[in-house]
Amino acid sequence: MLPLRSPSTARRFPAPRGLYAITPDGLPAAELLARAEAALAGGAKLLQYRDKLAEPAARRPVAEALAAACARHGAALLINDDAALAQAVGAAGVHLGKDDGDLGAARRRLGPDLLIGASCYADPARAAAAAPHVDYLAFGAVFPSSVKPGAAAAPLTLLAAAKAAHGLPVCAIGGITLANAPQVIAAGADWLAVITDLFSAPDIADRAAAYGCLFAAAGASAEPSL
């Protein structure tokens, strides 16, 4: 039987903490790839390919190109909601929400070496159920989100509580900007998942680098406790 989670989880992340870029919906492929390349050039070490609007057949060539870009920049590609696509393009793993299937089944399918992240919203019970199967827990919306305006508010106190309870890195998402990011890092976030404030910036690479500077200023060079 496959182990639920590798004990070397931390070593499979390309960096211990930092910016987690999530691609916006609905962009033409060439524009999406150009923006993702800029985010990676600016220092994003996790990139999630998320496009709820594209047809399934159109997603594979984009995912393949993103996987190649991540390899060039020493980053990890995760695929939103599609374990089969993640396997097909050699991605580092998947990110799954509450409607994206059973996390235990996903772990059995992907084995111990691919990353799995779980959206836990503002729900500690979901985090507890997910923890044996995943490599990080995501909470949000930590601030009002233009991408998901109806998302439940997730208090920042969830971040440190989840790390203490489950020994996993935690990701914060929802309405994060350069202005409010320092308080999220201070609350214990290992990863800041950003869509709008990153990909709508006039200079995406500079914006990504600015997020990296926030972690450096916070003394975020130490690995998360696992």
Side-chain angles (χ1 to χ4, degrees):
M1 180 179 295
L2 291 171
L4 292 178
R5 184 164 53 86
S6 168
S8 61
T9 294
R11 292 191 293 274
R12 295 190 286 115
F13 286 94
R17 303 178 83 187
L19 174 64
Y20 184 169
I22 301 182
T23 61
D25 286 328
L27 292 178
E31 184 176 353
L32 185 152
L33 292 171
R35 293 191 189 192
E37 185 83 34
L40 294 167
K45 289 301 181 184
L46 292 183
L47 176 71
Q48 183 185 136
Y49 175 40
R50 178 188 184 276
D51 193 337
K52 298 294 188 179
L53 302 178
E55 293 295 326
R59 289 202 292 265
R60 176 156 181 170
V62 175
E64 289 174 339
L66 290 174
C70 285
R72 288 194 300 273
H73 290 280
L77 175 67
L78 288 93
I79 305 294
N80 181 271
D81 182 24
D82 196 334
L85 181 59
Q87 289 179 305
V89 304
V94 295
H95 183 88
L96 300 174
K98 64 181 179 181
D99 299 321
D100 296 336
D102 179 74
L103 291 167
R107 176 55 74 200
R108 290 189 293 273
R109 173 176 184 164
L110 296 175
D113 295 324
L114 292 190
L115 296 168
I116 299 177
S119 292
C120 300
Y121 313 100
D123 186 355
R126 175 167 169 80
H133 310 290
V134 305
D135 301 289
Y136 70 88
L137 302 166
F139 295 93
V142 293
F143 301 108
S145 168
S146 61
V147 175
K148 292 186 176 182
L156 293 178
T157 53
L158 282 174
L159 302 175
K163 289 176 73 169
H166 308 299
L168 290 172
V170 294
C171 172
I173 188 169
I176 295 171
T177 67
L178 280 178
N180 61 34
Q183 64 184 290
V184 187
I185 296 172
D190 297 296
W191 297 97
L192 299 181
V194 185
I195 304 174
T196 304
D197 191 62
L198 174 63
F199 287 104
S200 295
D203 188 321
I204 293 171
D206 278 359
R207 183 61 54 89
Y211 275 100
C213 288
L214 293 179
F215 278 95
S221 60
E223 292 195 2
S225 298
L226 294 177

